[in-house]
Amino acid sequence: MARVYVLYTGGTIGCVANAEGALAPVPGAEFERLVLAMPGLSDHGVRGYDGLGWTMGWFDRTLDSSNMTPADWVAIAERLLSIYDQYDGFVVLHGTDSMAYSASALSFLLPGLSKPVVFSGSQVPLSFTLSDAPANLVGAIVAAGTLPVPEVSVYFNTRLLRGNRSSKIDANRFAGFDSPNFPPLATIGSVVARNEPYWLPMPGADVSLAEAENRAKRLAALALLPAALAEFSVVMLWLHPGIRASTVSAMLTGTSPAAKGAVLLAFGEGNGPTDPDFLGALSAGVAAGVVLMDNTQVRRGAVLPGAYATGLGAIGAIGAYDMTPEASYAKLVCLFADGLDATAVKAAMLVPRAGELTVIGA
Ligand code: ASP
């Protein structure tokens, strides 16, 4: 019997229209009633999958994922870890808007993961008839219960994607997610196609969350994070033609609490203006201790540090290679929350923790 725990956090999948016609997610108990009304999912089973059972849990607050914060990521990680030994796999139902950030963060918050954690949601509510929600929900439960992928993934529109490689790429269509720099981990259709060579390996016993001792250590570490998160900022700065030095200064040295990290969404292979004022503002941020990631605003391909004279490596930004901006942001937040200093964070950013990047030339 494979047991799957489904954590409903909110998002479009659980929305109904209010009196004004705007969508808002319903509370957990109401959502569970909706799911139990689906013919194939009543009785907490999945018709056609004998021996697969699901249990639903939720938080007191249901959230549109635009309201998710890093503290919510920690709450999700704590919930999953506290019931880890009772289930074979986990589904996190989540709004699509910030799902790629949360899935990335969970991959960093749960090192040593030995069971699947599958994020999913939908573009159209479950309560609507023409919706992608039933297929995504059932597919996510089946993936979590039958595919032993020891990592955090996103299941959307038939594809299981690595969570920290995923991005929301369409605001409306059912094909809402992609992992442009990494192949799908599996595809679910009339047959299930596993792409096992791309799955992360099972963690060793020294780090595996299958071990009670490691879970206890991780839970103790997670308990410290909400207070730590309140002490710093990480910002994301989308470069644009004509960007002013004062804009850069405001973001790198003008936030409260002070920024410890910044994800620069640079042009192309990691380029930006060579205007001395702009570079001076970035350098002032570096001098103030801000760790700068040189990411690209382009969805596919990699930053190639040093390729161009306009590359941002010269002022000390770290080339992010093919890491998504969402993963870069979540990784910076998680590393600083864990108490690492700037030097340690800089080194850790280029060491893959959960399959989130390929360092070209390494
Ligand atoms: N605004 C919604 C959310 O992210 C969108 C969705 O779930 O598709 O919660």
Side-chain angles (χ1 to χ4, degrees):
M1 172 83 175
R3 295 152 304 168
V4 173
Y5 179 82
V6 180
L7 176 59
Y8 164 73
T9 69
T12 291
I13 194 163
C15 278
V16 295
N18 66 16
E20 289 77 45
L23 294 173
V26 297
E30 206 174 312
F31 181 72
E32 187 181 35
R33 279 196 292 278
L34 276 174
V35 174
L36 284 169
M38 290 171 64
L41 292 180
S42 55
D43 297 340
H44 294 275
V46 181
R47 196 200 296 150
Y49 286 86
D50 285 348
L52 180 57
W54 58 271
T55 301
M56 192 170 290
W58 51 83
F59 295 113
D60 291 342
R61 286 184 325 144
T62 48
L63 290 175
D64 184 299
S65 75
S66 302
N67 283 323
M68 285 262 171
T69 66
D72 295 304
W73 304 340
V74 176
I76 295 170
E78 284 178 322
R79 172 69 64 89
L80 301 187
L81 213 44
S82 64
I83 52 168
Y84 194 81
D85 54 339
Q86 298 166 38
Y87 295 92
D88 301 295
F90 304 88
V91 170
V92 180
L93 296 179
H94 192 288
T96 60
D97 288 346
S98 72
M99 191 187 301
Y101 292 88
S102 296
S104 298
L106 264 286
S107 77
F108 304 129
L109 292 174
L110 295 176
L113 198 62
S114 59
K115 299 178 181 182
V117 172
V118 182
F119 275 70
S120 196
S122 64
Q123 299 280 41
V124 176
L126 186 65
S127 58
F128 289 22
T129 305
L130 179 54
S131 171
D132 53 337
N136 286 350
L137 172 62
V138 177
I141 294 174
V142 168
T146 65
L147 298 175
V149 193
E151 47 178 299
V152 178
S153 57
V154 165
Y155 180 76
F156 221 84
N157 194 44
T158 75
R159 296 191 307 165
L160 191 71
L161 308 172
R162 176 166 294 165
N164 57 33
R165 295 280 196 163
S166 71
S167 290
K168 184 171 179 179
I169 47 103
D170 200 299
N172 318 112
R173 290 177 189 226
F174 290 174
F177 281 81
D178 196 9
S179 57
N181 288 326
F182 205 74
L185 302 173
T187 306
I188 297 187
S190 58
V191 293
V192 176
R194 299 176 175 211
N195 208 358
E196 252 177 277
Y198 289 93
W199 297 2
L200 288 176
M202 273 296 166
D206 51 332
V207 292
S208 176
L209 294 177
E211 305 297 323
E213 199 185 320
N214 294 335
R215 289 200 299 278
K217 271 194 217 145
R218 196 59 207 153
L219 270 172
L222 289 173
L224 303 175
L225 298 191
L229 287 166
E231 299 301 319
F232 66 92
S233 304
V234 173
V235 299
M236 299 184 82
L237 179 55
W238 184 279
L239 303 195
H240 46 275
I243 185 169
R244 294 190 196 288
S246 58
T247 304
V248 176
S249 305
M251 288 197 72
L252 296 191
T253 54
T255 65
S256 176
K260 285 193 169 186
V263 177
L264 306 175
L265 291 120
F267 301 125
E269 291 180 342
N271 308 314
T274 52
D275 163 46
D277 291 342
F278 167 78
L279 291 178
L282 286 180
S283 298
V286 172
V290 182
V291 174
L292 300 184
M293 289 307 295
D294 185 11
N295 272 85
T296 175
Q297 48 190 254
V298 183
R299 276 294 171 198
R300 193 180 302 276
V303 164
L304 299 177
Y308 287 90
T310 47
L312 296 170
I315 50 90
I318 302 166
Y321 294 97
D322 61 354
M323 192 155 43
T324 63
E326 296 93 327
S328 247
Y329 173 78
K331 192 170 175 181
L332 281 174
V333 170
C334 293
L335 292 172
F336 280 120
D338 261 343
L340 274 67
D341 66 14
T343 311
V345 168
K346 272 189 207 163
M349 285 306 287
L350 287 186
V351 179
R353 302 210 139 199
E356 72 278 15
L357 102 142
T358 319
V359 178
I360 294 164

